[in-house]
Every structure is written in C-alpha cells, then in structure tokens.
Amino acid sequence: MVKISRRLQTLQAKVEDKDYHPLEALALLKDTATAKFVEAAEAHIRLGIDPKYTDQQLRTTVALPKGTGQIVRVAVIARGEKVNEASIAGADIVGSEELIDEIQKGRMDFDKLIATPDVMPQVAKLGKLLGPRGLMPSPKGGTVTFDLAGAIAEFKAGKLEFRADRTGIVHVMFGKTTFSPEDLLVNLKALQETIDRNRPSGAKGRYWRTFYVSATMGPSIKIDVTALRDLKLSEAG
C-alpha cells in the first residue's frame, strides 16, 4: 500500500470526480499547489495510440506562448563559423569535438542540446548517454538544424519537445503554478492543438482518452477534453 501524506489527502478532498472545465481545473491546480517550492503545472494525457507501431508514434515540439517559467540552458555542438553564430545567438555552452568529449566524460550542465547536421555522425556516439535523459538532438525535435539562432531563441522562449511514452501517455510541463489560470490555459490550448495537429496516421478510433493536470506535488484534476478543444484562442487569452 502506498502511504498518502496528510497534506495530499487534504488536497485530494478538494478535487471532485468529474470532468472540469479547463479554466476551473487550472484555478484548482493553483489552489492545490502547496509545496514549499514553486511547482510545475503538468499535463498527463492518455492517447488512443500504441507507440510500438511506427505509424502510431508521437514526437514533436510545442511553442508555449506564455513560456515555461524556467531558465533554459542551451548547449550547441557545431563547426567553424556556426560556433561563433551560436555564441552570438545566446547559447550557454558552445563547442565542437571538444564539447562532445566533455559530454562523454559526464558534462551535463544544460537542458537542451542543439547540433548542426554535419556533426551528427560524431554526436551519435553520445546516444547512450543523452537518450535516456531526453537530450539527444533530433530533426523531429527541432534540435538538429543549421538555423541555430532560430532554434536557440525558440527553446529559450518556451519551446518544448515531448513524446508519447511506450504506453501512449504524454507527460508535459506547461508552465509554473505562479502563472495565472488564464496564462496556463493559453499554454494548455497550444499543447492540445499541437497534439491534434500531429495525430499519428495510424491512430484509429478515439484519439483523446483521458486528460489530467496537476501541480508537481498536487492531486490529479480531470479536464473536459471536448471543452478544451472547442475553446477559441480569443477565449483562452
């Protein structure tokens, strides 16, 4: 039996077993964020997909209009003039083969790794280190590109990469609990639209199964998916 703390039991009592209107759910999410640190606002979405089939996999990026609330440290692996370009564009860590060596030796002081296509054969050997941490550059994730200035700006402004796990569930942080419910809603709407837009070709039947939001240490709150999908952006902010 998992022991539930008294704090969480009290918070769970505030949440009814129903589908909440998105804005009501996000106000409740803020109300149940009582940890002693600034919690993340998280979405946990079960989709009607089986990612073991290649045509039912979901991996993409979302640009959160209100940002993530986090400082994103970006590292770039490139060559020649592109190294200088990355520095000017605001990358926190920049390098070529020497940075690949440092990462191999355990350097991991970054949140996002971008690489130019010409260095990917060398970066590939970092797969076992970076893959489990979700840091391996990929074209689908927008982290393999020659447009370094654009990619750095986007990730620092609130662009996130996400994927469905092997059970078909998407876990995404879409802001901080210090955001207003309205700002959280704008980000959540962007996430929903991105998931709809990138529906895998092999997804048959009901695509959206369940949609929960929560603070990092808070209880799960069920969202009315239809109400979220029907929301117009003008209503969402």
Side-chain angles (χ1 to χ4, degrees), residues 111-123:
D111 307 300
K112 188 62 59 180
L113 179 62
I114 298 170
T116 49
D118 57 328
V119 297
M120 280 308 292
Q122 287 73 45
V123 174

Side-chain angles (χ1 to χ4, degrees), residues 48-232:
I49 58 175
D50 186 348
K52 75 169 179 270
Y53 300 105
T54 54
D55 65 349
Q56 293 190 49
Q57 292 172 358
L58 176 68
R59 180 176 184 177
T60 187
T61 60
V62 59
L64 298 176
K66 301 297 180 178
T68 61
Q70 290 184 312
I71 294 168
V72 180
R73 293 165 301 170
V74 175
V76 174
I77 299 173
R79 281 203 186 106
E81 274 304 301
K82 286 288 175 185
V83 173
N84 196 36
E85 184 184 313
S87 286
I88 293 167
D92 300 277
I93 302 162
V94 181
S96 299
E97 280 76 6
E98 80 285 355
L99 181 52
I100 293 172
D101 291 340
E102 286 174 29
I103 293 170
Q104 266 193 315
K105 290 171 185 166
R107 182 172 187 179
M108 289 286 169
D109 56 342
F110 50 87
D111 307 300
K112 188 62 59 180
L113 179 62
I114 298 170
T116 49
D118 57 328
V119 297
M120 280 308 292
Q122 287 73 45
V123 174
K125 64 186 179 185
L126 301 174
K128 284 184 181 175
L129 275 173
L130 298 173
R133 292 176 168 86
L135 290 169
M136 188 66 186
S138 76
K140 270 191 174 179
T143 45
V144 176
T145 179
F146 281 119
D147 179 15
L148 296 178
I152 292 163
E154 284 179 340
F155 283 110
K156 283 191 171 280
K159 186 177 181 180
L160 288 178
E161 184 180 356
F162 67 90
R163 67 195 302 170
D165 68 16
R166 57 194 176 85
T167 64
I169 299 176
V170 171
H171 306 277
V172 187
M173 187 275 284
F174 64 97
K176 293 285 192 178
T177 53
T178 47
F179 287 19
S180 70
E182 293 76 16
D183 282 357
L184 287 173
L185 182 57
V186 172
N187 280 354
L188 198 64
K189 180 67 181 168
L191 176 61
Q192 169 260 306
E193 289 179 341
T194 298
I195 292 173
D196 268 327
R197 200 164 46 243
N198 290 277
R199 178 177 179 143
S201 59
K204 301 288 184 272
R206 191 154 64 93
Y207 185 43
W208 294 86
R209 297 293 172 87
T210 57
F211 195 140
Y212 288 90
V213 294
S214 72
T216 306
M217 306 294 287
S220 295
I221 302 160
K222 196 174 183 186
I223 291 253
D224 182 336
V225 180
T226 305
L228 181 62
R229 293 175 87 192
D230 288 347
L231 260 185
K232 299 293 177 277

